Amino acid sequence: MPGFAHRLFLSAAIGAMALAASAHADENGNMQPGQPYSCADDAIGSIVEVCKAVKQALPFVQCPETTSTCAKARQEVFTGLTGETASPTNIKTWNGQGVTGEVFQSVGLCLLRDLNAAPMNSHAEASLPIGNISADGVVDFMSFDPKNKFFKGSHRLTAHAPVIGDVDIMTQVFTVDDVNSDLKGQGKTVGQYGVSGAHGLGFEADSGAEEFSFELDALTITTPYGTVTPKPHLTLARASFWSLWPPPGGAPTGLTMNPGGFQTTDVYGRLKGQSVASALSPFKLVPEPKDVLVPSKYCGIVIKDEKQCLAPAPVAWDSQLMLGARNVDPRPAAAAWKAPAGQPFPLRPDAIVKTARSAGEKLPNGFASAGVKIVYNPVGMIPAALLSSGFITPTIEVFVDPNIAVGFASQFNFWNAQASVWNPSLSKPPPAPAVTPLDVESQHAMTL
């Protein structure tokens, strides 16, 4: 007996899952159609297992043999480049990118492997007049093959609510392996330094949406004022999907890194990452001010017969993959973030998990409702003489449906980025817009 909120949730969840996750990605990060399968065939189908447990006590409950939509999805998180390194005798123009891609590929696998000793746990609570609601998320280790550099883990969400009880909302299994592209001899560069390889981590995970609902037989209670028929009902639904960035219609660039507010470009795939990283420049040319008597030592550069100034430009790329959702608060004040119009690099709330960055991130991973529809037929209060007169055919029915409906969410974010900026305090006045490793500060970071 699913209600409107549940139907809306499930249809939206299936749509978001189909758009964002029912696909495989190539080394350019391009999504390609994936193959769906029955949710009941995998660990993702926890609601099917819940239904089977209910059926043991209530044999009339019908459990779905196959469920709506499930699929495996694969996407590559770009970890960076490798290539020619600088030395005292090899100083060229550089844009602050490269070198550490293979290192951070290994860092990512090591961070995931260490979940064996320290799983990631989170806990959230909310209060209702009838009791507390709570949810527990965990990202955990399942196995690691060091020879083939292959990790397997799980993202789980369990919850508790009054009346509904304890529910295993979601078990989303995912795997991670290293992926590499040999770029030797292809002329790829970062500044004037050659690039020899592009590296990434291939994430593969289940995604899907399913539900089951049942209601108990109505009870009949006779009162002096008529018959009351309460009918208990329960609905459980879950959706596990990817929350990729940018979402459809989202901003592919933004100010996301701390410190410094770096102008960040989002990428997936090794080759797309190489293309973006090679194009970044930690400086920018701006017109020389006309009203400055003593221009900066970094001004006076003539480009196309116009005097320019060399100015710092903090630039970065990032590659992030999110399993699950965040901030499912339905109140208007908790609306999903939207990029302001006309800002190429808006300040995005990537690190503020209480703010959803898209409508898809606001979809709960789990939905549960329980209640009792109480039907009251006041026909019994009408005198029998009127009922038998032939002039009145009463069809009056009054009902009330008090219920509790709860949404739960958990999000696991794997984030990797490299940023660079030209630091004029390290430099001598250049005769042309050329920045070398002596002038550039670079930062590479990865977080779970």
Side-chain angles (χ1 to χ4, degrees), residues 25-26 29 31 73-77 201-203 242 244 268-269 321:
D26 60 19
M31 304 303 283
R74 182 176 174 87
Q75 182 58 280
E76 288 187 12
V77 171
L201 291 171
F203 277 75
W242 298 42
L244 300 179
Y268 294 102
L321 185 146

Side-chain angles (χ1 to χ4, degrees), residues 12-245:
I14 292 174
M17 184 278 301
L19 284 173
S22 295
H24 294 272
D26 60 19
E27 60 184 352
N28 282 297
N30 298 322
M31 304 303 283
Q32 300 170 347
Q35 294 298 319
Y37 66 90
S38 168
C39 299
D41 292 342
D42 212 319
I44 195 172
S46 60
I47 281 186
V48 174
E49 301 304 317
V50 171
C51 187
K52 290 178 180 178
V54 173
K55 189 175 179 66
Q56 291 181 357
L58 304 172
F60 64 85
V61 171
Q62 297 298 311
C63 292
E65 296 300 324
T66 60
T67 45
S68 315
T69 309
C70 277
K72 285 190 180 295
R74 182 176 174 87
Q75 182 58 280
E76 288 187 12
V77 171
F78 177 55
T79 62
L81 306 171
T82 52
E84 183 183 1
T85 58
S87 70
T89 58
N90 187 30
I91 301 297
K92 307 175 185 178
T93 300
W94 185 47
N95 71 349
Q97 298 295 314
V99 181
T100 54
E102 193 170 16
V103 173
F104 272 78
Q105 183 187 65
S106 298
V107 168
L109 287 170
C110 288
L111 286 173
L112 292 168
R113 180 204 61 191
D114 289 346
L115 292 173
N116 188 31
M120 297 177 65
N121 295 283
S122 61
H123 178 79
E125 291 188 1
S127 297
L128 288 177
I130 61 173
N132 290 335
I133 300 169
S134 63
D136 291 282
V138 59
V139 180
D140 209 349
F141 174 96
M142 295 180 69
S143 64
F144 180 66
D145 181 348
K147 182 178 180 180
N148 295 308
K149 298 182 180 180
F150 185 85
F151 171 85
K152 185 175 184 179
S154 65
H155 175 211
R156 303 195 309 272
L157 176 61
T158 57
H160 174 80
V163 182
I164 296 169
D166 298 315
V167 182
D168 179 9
I169 293 290
M170 174 187 68
T171 300
Q172 188 175 21
V173 175
F174 67 97
T175 62
V176 184
D177 61 325
D178 66 337
V179 289
N180 306 280
S181 293
D182 185 356
L183 302 179
K184 296 185 185 72
Q186 296 188 21
K188 309 296 184 183
T189 61
V190 283
Q192 294 179 340
Y193 290 94
V195 169
S196 59
H199 309 277
L201 291 171
F203 277 75
E204 186 168 293
D206 298 301
S207 59
E210 59 177 337
E211 61 87 22
F212 87 96
S213 302
F214 70 89
E215 58 185 22
L216 300 179
D217 292 336
L219 304 175
T220 300
I221 303 175
T222 303
T223 74
Y225 305 101
T227 301
V228 177
T229 54
K231 181 180 291 187
H233 57 84
L234 174 70
T235 294
L236 295 175
R238 70 107 187 102
S240 54
F241 43 82
W242 298 42
S243 183
L244 300 179
W245 189 267

Side-chain angles (χ1 to χ4, degrees), residues 211-391:
E211 61 87 22
F212 87 96
S213 302
F214 70 89
E215 58 185 22
L216 300 179
D217 292 336
L219 304 175
T220 300
I221 303 175
T222 303
T223 74
Y225 305 101
T227 301
V228 177
T229 54
K231 181 180 291 187
H233 57 84
L234 174 70
T235 294
L236 295 175
R238 70 107 187 102
S240 54
F241 43 82
W242 298 42
S243 183
L244 300 179
W245 189 267
T253 58
L255 300 177
T256 62
M257 286 191 64
N258 289 316
F262 285 87
Q263 298 176 356
T264 304
T265 301
D266 301 276
V267 292
Y268 294 102
R270 289 157 279 163
L271 299 188
K272 179 63 176 179
Q274 177 273 316
S275 177
V276 169
S278 291
L280 295 176
S281 177
F283 64 88
K284 58 185 177 182
L285 289 167
V286 297
E288 183 175 282
K290 305 298 184 183
D291 56 348
V292 177
L293 296 178
V294 183
S296 163
K297 63 181 180 179
Y298 299 102
C299 292
I301 302 165
V302 178
I303 302 294
K304 293 183 179 179
D305 299 324
E306 183 179 355
K307 288 187 177 181
Q308 305 279 309
C309 296
L310 193 60
V315 294
W317 57 262
D318 79 335
S319 196
Q320 56 179 317
L321 185 146
M322 294 75 69
L323 300 179
R326 60 185 184 178
N327 186 33
V328 297
D329 190 335
R331 293 175 296 182
W337 175 83
K338 186 177 181 179
Q343 292 188 25
F345 291 96
L347 182 60
R348 285 201 321 235
D350 288 11
I352 306 173
V353 295
K354 291 185 177 181
T355 301
R357 298 163 297 177
S358 66
E361 280 194 328
K362 286 190 67 64
L363 289 171
N365 295 118
F367 176 91
S369 68
V372 54
K373 183 177 181 180
I374 303 171
V375 180
Y376 167 54
N377 191 336
V379 173
M381 299 177 62
I382 301 176
L386 290 177
L387 291 175
S388 60
S389 66
F391 295 101

